[in-house]
Amino acid sequence: MMKRYLIGFILGSLLLGYGVASSDARPVRGGMPASVVRHKVELIDTLHREIAFAKARVYPALVNILVVYRYYDSGRAQRDLAGGSGVIISPDGYVITNYHVAGHTTYIECTLTDGERVEAKDIYDDPLTDISILKLNLNQRANPKAPLHYAVLGNSDDLHVGDFVLAMGNPLMLSSSMTLGIVSNTQRVFTDFTGSRIEQVELDSGQQTGLLTRWIQHDALILPGNSGGPLVNMQGEVVGINELGGSGVGFAIPSNLVRRVFEQVLAHGKVIRGYLGFEPLPVDKLGRKTGTLVAAVIPKSPAAEAGLRPGDVLLSINGVPTNIRFLEQVPLLYQQVTAIKPGTRVSLRVLRQGKVLTLHTVVAPMQPYLGHESEVADLGLTVRSITPMMALLNHLPDTNGLMVTGIRPGYPADNSQPKLAVGDVIRAVDGKPTPNLAALEQVVKADKQQGRLVVAYLRQNQSCLSVLRMERPETSGNDFELPHAWLGVRTEVVTPEIAEVLHVPGTQGFLVTEVFPGTNASEAGLRVGDIITSLNGQRLEASRPQDEEMLTHAIENLDVGSKATLGILRGGKPLEIGVTLQASPSSASEVASYQEKTFEFTVRDLTLFDRIERHLPLDQKGVIVTDTTEGGWANIAGLNVDDIILSVNGQPIEDVGSFKRVMSEVVSRKPKVVTLFVHRGALTYFVFIQPDWAHLN
């Protein structure tokens, strides 16, 4: 259907204003010869065949990726659902996608174009190129030995401006989609406003990407969800991985760059890159055609140790020219440097003030831009390990310590004196150095029983101390009240207007609007529509809206278990009904509650009012959800406030007590899936929680 529409649209556009082509070459209306029209139709047919060929080779290798990803906010680890695209590139199930799709994930599920769902493992993340490599769990397939369709990585250097390309993926999570466009630029880089330097692209996680990338710019429509999907040439080869897009323009990571990452991961289990530590700029504004202008040298880097200086013109590295005339060539120099094996001794040929110098240094391994972020749950904060680049940019003396990235309200870090803040660097706790997360966790575990911790930290140029009290916030206690006498009905005041409508003018009292089932009032025969006019022989002179609590207070002044005589009007006739007063049922604030900390949600026991208002049996068992923490496992699994949990992994839940026992067993066993059977509205549902036990505290 899409093909026919596309062909019809193109044909209509080409033939608009022309007559039907004849077999001769005579001009038709508008002056276009029929032979020209036939030629255009032949070109369209050729394009159609090429699209069909390319689709057949790559489309079956497309995957729709659903992930649970972990992020840190407000001093705690949180989770959410997201999705993107990917492509299978090997018969054993390796998948290429974007780092910003699969990085920091705790669960990955890939849906193939035939609808088959297979879990995947994140093998390696490379923020510098925004590439992640996944591996499908082929044992989950219905037939693990069945051939797996995969695509081939092509040569992105063969692309030219004007070439047709196909973008495949899952825009807006609409699975298995394909669009057509042309290449509009094969070496796109992003620069600052003045066009004088390369600017990196910052990903959602704070990582930066782009130093090594010259993006393929194209106009095949891509939208959120296309990230990680393949860009395909007309030979049916993957020539790029789509990464960015919007406003009718898309950007893909070249396949040759992707291939280098993939091959290193297969060979070494990681990407190994060399690092010298300088920032290059083009030399064209110096009037030169050769060399590279050194704009900056990173302190303590191999380039700095070699004696390289800003303003030098770098002519070659180990005899290989470093000619940058335009910003589009900058990524090529970075690629040249990163391709050198760390530990290699290199010579730098430099032009400085008219003299040619040769400098020597040893290439270092490239370090990540950002350190690993983690949660320290006992303190209520999140921290990040410090990389050399972070130390440089934050003017820190070294990489020892942990930078505070978030503080959880109400937890020890939030109540510290003086108060810790985001950006502080924790260097020691109780006099014990904390150069990394493992050291910090060890100190906290050993010393938290003392009730307080003394934290030494850096804030800008200051060396400071703070005291953390280790009290954790507890669930607020229930506000219990002594039971009082209760009638078991709802009423409204009989105002003069209501009395007139009911044809009992002058009557005062309370109209029964609801009789709670299973109560003494119901068993005594009290009905909706009855008008209560007296209690134990005392007239109830209620006729104004502000008298609505008169009957309630009068009942509460009596004893639980005593018998109350109600004078009523029923159908205009007076009656007396005796009702034994029962204890008032517990309110929501009075019943037992429990905060499930592993999956971050809170439940309480059901009350009589819960059962009545939800039209449930009066003996309905279960617990009702009163809160789900945003970003917690229960929240992202779809557990809702007001859900009534009936069972957990098949074990019935009667009340808070049984819920605590069952959940304790679940946390102890750590099953792959925790299944909650819940009552929601008028129906029942299943909620499946798939926790990442390895990252749960």
Side-chain angles (χ1 to χ4, degrees), residues 577-594:
I577 293 180
V579 181
T580 300
L581 300 178
Q582 59 193 100
S584 58
S586 298
S587 66
S589 64
E590 296 171 327
V591 297
S593 65
Y594 176 67

Side-chain angles (χ1 to χ4, degrees), residues 490-614:
R490 284 196 175 110
T491 62
E492 67 176 57
V493 174
V494 179
T495 63
E497 293 80 7
I498 294 296
E500 190 72 29
V501 169
L502 296 176
H503 307 293
V504 287
T507 298
Q508 295 180 328
F510 294 86
L511 176 66
V512 177
T513 58
E514 183 177 5
V515 179
F516 296 135
T519 61
N520 292 347
S522 174
E523 294 176 1
L526 207 57
R527 301 177 187 173
V528 171
D530 288 346
I531 299 175
I532 303 174
T533 59
S534 66
L535 172 62
N536 290 340
Q538 296 291 320
R539 287 175 54 81
L540 297 170
E541 297 178 349
S543 60
R544 304 169 302 166
Q546 54 264 45
D547 297 329
E548 62 180 349
E549 296 295 328
M550 181 188 294
L551 177 61
T552 300
H553 293 324
I555 293 293
E556 289 177 348
N557 288 330
L558 302 177
D559 294 329
V560 174
S562 64
K563 191 166 186 177
T565 301
L566 303 176
I568 68 170
L569 283 178
R570 179 179 292 167
K573 297 179 180 181
L575 296 172
E576 283 191 351
I577 293 180
V579 181
T580 300
L581 300 178
Q582 59 193 100
S584 58
S586 298
S587 66
S589 64
E590 296 171 327
V591 297
S593 65
Y594 176 67
Q595 183 184 38
E596 209 301 304
K597 295 181 179 179
T598 302
F599 303 129
E600 299 185 275
F601 67 101
T602 304
V603 299
R604 64 165 171 80
D605 279 335
L606 291 169
T607 68
L608 175 65
F609 298 114
D610 293 325
R611 296 179 175 95
I612 291 171
E613 290 171 357
R614 290 166 172 77

Side-chain angles (χ1 to χ4, degrees), residues 258-286:
V258 174
R259 180 185 292 104
R260 287 196 288 272
V261 172
F262 181 59
E263 289 177 348
Q264 282 215 46
V265 171
L266 287 186
H268 309 293
K270 60 181 179 180
V271 177
I272 301 171
R273 294 189 174 103
Y275 171 75
L276 287 176
F278 68 93
E279 183 174 338
L281 281 180
V283 293
D284 60 321
K285 292 184 179 179
L286 300 180

